[in-house]
Each structure stands twice: as structure tokens, then as C-alpha cells.
Amino acid sequence: MSLKAATRILLATTLGCLPELASALPEPVDLVSGDDYPPFAGSTLSEGGVLTQMVRQAFATGGQSARVEFKPWARGYEETLRLEYDATFPYLSTPRRASSFLFSDPLYELNLRLYVRSDSTWKTGTPEELSDATFCLPTGYEVSGWVRLASDRLAFVRPRSMEQCHAMLQLGRVDVLISNPDELAWQAVPPMLTPRNVRKLPEPLDDVSLHLIIPRDHPRAQQLMDAFNHGLQQLVDSGARDRLFRANQDYRRSLEADR
């Protein structure tokens, strides 16, 4: 166990024995996210991305401040699992992850779809048609739908970022891009990645949701999750969540690009 994780456990134990001090001096939660998931999370995005902004506000609603760092997805995930961070986001729920993490209420609903070049010969997006296609999905992104079920029989390229997947699609190095309309529209702003160069296949892939996740081994896992979910629900009930999305410039940019 790292010194950082051990310190966190000791502090949680100490504050648990001193409820008045814990109430008066809430320790900021340490969060980590990936650095290349527009418009949702990233160090170069406004407010760190719309979901980073929402996660901070959900914790703040319960009087809990949050510090957020951005790291490569796999590194942030593993360091959170080792309790070097209190939580990480945004992640899809999978059985493997659920065995190690608690999952928050949904942060955002995604409609995952398959995209090809506009001049591609692929037409439907069915498993039968795409059995010989090469798929692109960045490292750290979870494969979903029938593609996950058939993943051992399919060809994949897993670069560092979605931007690289777009570039490889345009260059003909991959056949199919797995994405969602929000992310696709944001990435489609650069000239060579205009929506006119990308076509969505009609067969849906999967409808999923993104979550904040907390290690089950965290000494305050359920306490933190309950507080976060309560704050998130208050944002939803008050309309603050919708206002946050409407006001976030990167999220608005993705909507405008998708029109």
C-alpha cells in the first residue's frame, strides 16, 4: 500500500473517532479522471469538462470540496483501486469493475453507435456485416454491446485517444469507430474530421450510462457514495444539472457541431 493510501485510511479512522472535528474540517476528496474525453472530462476543457464540473458540484452540495487530477485512464483507474484517490470518473458499469468498485447513480446517458467514413461500403452495422472489420476504440474505453460479446473474434486498434481513432478512420487504417454523438460532434470540429466525412451506421450498438466509482476497499466507500448520490439528486431535482449542461461551453460546442 502506498504512503498516500495509508495516510488516507489513517485520517479517515481518526476523523471517524472525532465526529465534531470531522464535521468541522471535511477533508477534500481526491478524484482522478482521464485527460481526453471531450466534452465530459479533460484538463484543457472548460471547468475540466462538463462531468468534472457536475461531480464537483454534487460533492459541494453536501459541503464536501473535491480536488481533481487528470491522468491516463489506465493509470488513474489502477491508482484509485490502490486507494491513492478516493474516486474516479466517468466509467461504464461492467461486472469486472463492479466486483471492485461501487457505482454512483448515472452521471450521463450515452447512445453508443458505430461510425464509418462517408464513402465506406459498410451499410448496416450488424455483426454479420462487420465480422471482418477493424474497430478503433482508445485504450481505457470499454467495449459494449455485441462488439464486446464478439471481441475475441474481431480486430481492434486501441490508440491513446479518440482523436487518433478519428485520424486513422480518415486515413483508412481502421474501418469502424465506436463513439457517441456528443463525443463525435466535439471531435468533428477540426477541418479533416467534419461530420460530412463520417457516417453513422443504422444498427444501434448499446445505450449505457457513465458513473463515478469508489473502491469497495475504501474505508468510507459507502459514506462517500451516499453523500455524492444525495448531492447529485439535489442537482437533478433543482434543475441545476440541466443549467450546468446548458452553460458549459464545450458541451454547447458539441451540440452545435452535431446539428
Side-chain angles (χ1 to χ4, degrees):
M1 180 181 296
S2 70
L3 177 60
K4 185 176 182 180
T7 301
R8 178 171 289 110
I9 292 175
L10 177 61
L11 180 61
T13 303
T14 302
L15 292 180
C17 297
L18 299 171
E20 292 184 2
L21 178 60
S23 175
L25 298 171
E27 177 72 6
V29 292
D30 286 321
L31 310 176
V32 64
S33 184
D35 200 21
D36 53 2
Y37 194 20
F40 304 118
S43 60
T44 63
L45 300 176
S46 172
E47 302 290 341
V50 67
L51 291 188
T52 301
Q53 189 178 8
M54 187 174 73
V55 164
R56 281 195 178 109
Q57 287 196 16
F59 275 116
T61 298
Q64 179 75 67
S65 61
R67 297 181 290 230
V68 181
E69 293 185 41
F70 296 95
K71 293 187 174 182
W73 291 99
R75 180 179 172 187
Y77 182 93
E78 291 300 325
E79 290 182 356
T80 304
L81 194 57
R82 296 197 300 265
L83 304 185
E84 294 180 29
Y85 293 94
D86 295 302
T88 184
F89 69 95
Y91 277 89
L92 305 182
S93 177
T94 68
R96 177 180 62 86
R97 290 172 179 168
S99 67
S100 301
F101 290 91
L102 299 180
F103 279 72
S104 72
D105 293 340
L107 304 178
Y108 193 83
E109 303 291 336
L110 289 179
N111 307 119
L112 294 181
R113 298 297 182 263
L114 302 175
Y115 295 87
V116 297
R117 280 173 43 148
S118 57
D119 59 358
S120 171
T121 59
W122 310 112
K123 299 297 182 184
T124 64
T126 61
E128 296 76 18
E129 181 191 42
L130 299 178
S131 60
D132 295 326
T134 299
F135 293 78
C136 194
L137 190 67
T139 300
Y141 283 47
E142 189 69 25
V143 182
S144 298
W146 70 260
V147 176
R148 179 170 65 182
L149 298 177
S151 59
D152 59 337
R153 304 188 300 275
L154 299 174
F156 285 88
V157 174
R158 303 298 296 264
R160 183 184 59 81
S161 69
M162 185 62 76
E163 184 177 3
Q164 290 174 315
C165 274
H166 277 275
M168 285 189 284
L169 181 68
Q170 297 301 322
L171 293 171
R173 295 178 182 172
V174 298
D175 301 308
V176 184
L177 175 68
I178 302 173
S179 189
N180 64 85
D182 301 284
E183 185 174 28
L184 179 83
W186 203 94
Q187 294 283 0
V189 173
M192 73 171 292
L193 305 178
T194 64
R196 293 188 299 275
N197 294 337
V198 180
R199 173 167 52 86
K200 180 174 65 177
L201 295 176
E203 187 73 15
L205 179 59
D206 204 5
D207 293 332
V208 296
S209 54
L210 297 172
H211 305 261
L212 175 131
I213 59 177
I214 299 176
R216 291 183 179 274
D217 291 340
H218 193 291
R220 295 191 296 138
Q222 195 61 57
Q223 177 188 352
L224 285 174
M225 187 60 77
D226 290 344
F228 178 78
N229 282 337
H230 180 70
L232 183 61
Q233 189 60 52
Q234 285 188 284
L235 293 182
V236 173
D237 292 344
S238 67
R241 177 189 181 278
D242 291 340
R243 291 193 296 272
L244 183 154
F245 275 88
R246 289 197 298 269
N248 184 275
Q249 64 184 34
D250 289 315
Y251 186 74
R252 292 201 315 270
R253 174 183 172 187
S254 74
L255 295 182
E256 292 165 359
D258 195 35
R259 289 173 185 164

